[in-house]
Every structure is written in structure tokens, then in C-alpha cells.
Amino acid sequence: MKPEYLHFFIDPSRCIGCQACMHACTECDTHRGESMIHLEFVERAESTQTVPVVCMHCDQPTCAEVCPADAIKRTGDGVVQSARKPRCIACGNCVVACPFGVPEVFEDRKIMMKCDMCYDRTSVGKKPMCATVCPSQALFFGTREQIEQLRPQSQPINRFQFGAQTITTQVQVMVPREVAVRAAHVDVTAAMEERPRPRMLKVLAVDANAQPQDAAAEPDPFADVEIPR
């Protein structure tokens, strides 16, 4: 079993998008060469910021609750396992139900696979593969005391609000300390109400029949294009 004093932390602000975690994940024996971690872009139109996405290992895993074959099990130390091959019917219920979008059904093998926190390693006190190679320590596996020393301006949160439902997870996300003090949880669905900033495209038309007196002085038709931000 995973030692109780060891926890998995994600610090999105430190992710540099190097994908080292994804490549390391493929080396896990239980994944059979597949990466169970992926990177999401945050406001991709305006930023290159990425955030690693792993299974959050919910205290009450919705994926297991909706599984009609009882193929998804949660260990005594709180790690939610991938579907068990003899039971999984690849129905995809878990994919739809997971609020974090983690489970993935592999049609060629007819089974759901996901991050299991490298249970073969963490159950004996070793770091998950992704955390061992992360150069910026955006993925960290250790004690709460260690993360508090390394991130004095941040605080871990493991409660997330989805509408009227609060989900508590084993994996904890580092947020600025003032945010953690202001709110006891992260309201994930609040971002759904955000509206994009108004944009306006203004183009001044140029008469195609007009013949400039000096070819070298021909006006640039894009000189007056204006895109307010």
C-alpha cells in the first residue's frame, strides 16, 4: 500500500510543456507502452501555458460508480485502478462520467486504461514515473512538509466544485496561498460562464480601379487593418 505520508501534488504554474512526463509514462509496465498522462493548454489563443492532467483519484470515484461491470476498483490507500480486463466491457460510461476527463477506452483491446499513480512504484514508496523526470517539479511526490518548504507562496487544494457537487481527491493541486484562503475549493465550472473579450475587425477598402501616380508609392491595403484587443 502507498505510505500515508506520501502525496501526489500538481503545480500547474511550473509546467513548461516539455512532455517528459508523457514519455516517462509510456515506460510504466502496467501501461504497456501507452501514456496515461497528457498536457492541456490553458487559454491556448493567448498563452503557451500547459498543465499536466493525471487521474485525480477521487475519494468517491464517479467512474467506478457508473461502471456496470464493477471493473474499476479503489484500493485501501485511495488509488483508483484501471479497469480489470476480465470484467471491463469497454462501454465508455467511465469516460463520460469522469469530471476530469481522464479515463480512455482502447477499442483495439476493449478495455479502459488510465493513470493509476504508478501503483507498482508508489505502493513501495517510490515516485511515479512522471514525477521522477519532471525538470520543473510541476509533478511532485512527497510529504506535505516538503511541498510547504518548496512552495511557501502556494497551498495544496484537493476539493473541487462541479456545480452543486464537491469532489475530494487524493491528488492535490497547488494554488496561490491567497486563493486557498479565499476559497476552500476550486469551482471548476465557473470558467464555463466566462465570455470572450469583444473583438472587432476594421478594414478600409481600397478602390481596385484607382491607378496610383507613383507605383513605388502604392498604398499598402493592409496598413489600416485594425484588430482591437
Side-chain angles (χ1 to χ4, degrees):
M1 295 182 64
K2 179 179 72 65
E4 295 183 358
Y5 59 88
L6 294 176
H7 306 280
F8 199 170
F9 302 91
I10 299 178
D11 192 341
S13 65
R14 299 183 69 91
C15 181
I16 59 176
C18 66
Q19 300 186 13
C21 56
M22 297 175 58
H23 294 291
C25 189
T26 62
E27 298 181 12
C28 183
D29 293 336
T30 59
H31 296 162
R32 303 177 182 89
E34 301 284 353
S35 176
M36 296 292 105
I37 183 173
H38 62 275
L39 296 179
E40 291 287 352
F41 283 83
V42 180
E43 297 184 3
R44 189 168 187 173
E46 301 181 2
S47 171
T48 59
Q49 180 64 50
T50 54
V51 55
V53 177
V54 300
C55 178
M56 299 299 288
H57 300 282
C58 305
D59 288 347
Q60 292 183 306
T62 308
C63 58
E65 293 176 352
V66 301
C67 180
D70 193 28
I72 304 174
K73 299 295 184 179
R74 181 175 181 269
T75 62
D77 48 10
V79 176
V80 182
Q81 301 286 341
S82 291
R84 297 187 177 184
K85 178 63 175 178
R87 287 180 171 268
C88 182
I89 59 177
C91 64
N93 282 7
C94 52
V95 177
V96 178
C98 176
F100 299 101
V102 170
E104 183 176 356
V105 172
F106 290 81
E107 291 293 340
D108 58 335
R109 280 156 280 183
K110 300 298 180 183
I111 190 173
M112 182 278 283
M113 295 174 62
K114 67 170 190 63
C115 161
D116 60 2
M117 204 186 292
C118 286
Y119 198 65
D120 57 329
R121 297 175 58 86
T122 55
S123 59
V124 293
K126 295 183 179 180
K127 294 182 179 181
M129 293 294 290
C130 56
T132 61
V133 301
C134 183
S136 60
Q137 292 189 330
L139 298 167
F140 183 83
F141 188 75
T143 67
R144 183 176 290 271
E145 291 74 19
Q146 289 174 327
I147 199 67
E148 288 177 351
Q149 293 178 358
L150 292 171
R151 313 279 194 275
Q153 302 300 321
S154 300
Q155 184 170 326
I157 279 185
N158 69 333
R159 296 180 66 229
F160 304 88
Q161 190 78 21
F162 290 86
Q165 183 181 16
T166 301
I167 296 179
T168 306
T169 64
Q170 291 292 317
V171 176
Q172 305 185 48
V173 177
M174 303 302 296
V175 299
R177 188 168 294 276
E178 59 270 17
V179 174
V181 173
R182 186 166 62 248
H185 58 262
V186 175
D187 189 351
V188 178
T189 57
M192 299 174 62
E193 302 299 326
E194 296 180 356
R195 294 293 181 267
R197 292 177 297 182
R199 291 177 175 269
M200 178 181 64
L201 179 64
K202 178 182 177 183
V203 179
L204 299 181
V206 177
D207 187 357
N209 296 323
Q211 297 295 329
Q213 297 179 354
D214 185 0
E218 183 176 352
D220 181 1
F222 299 101
D224 294 321
V225 174
E226 178 182 355
I227 304 179
R229 294 182 64 83

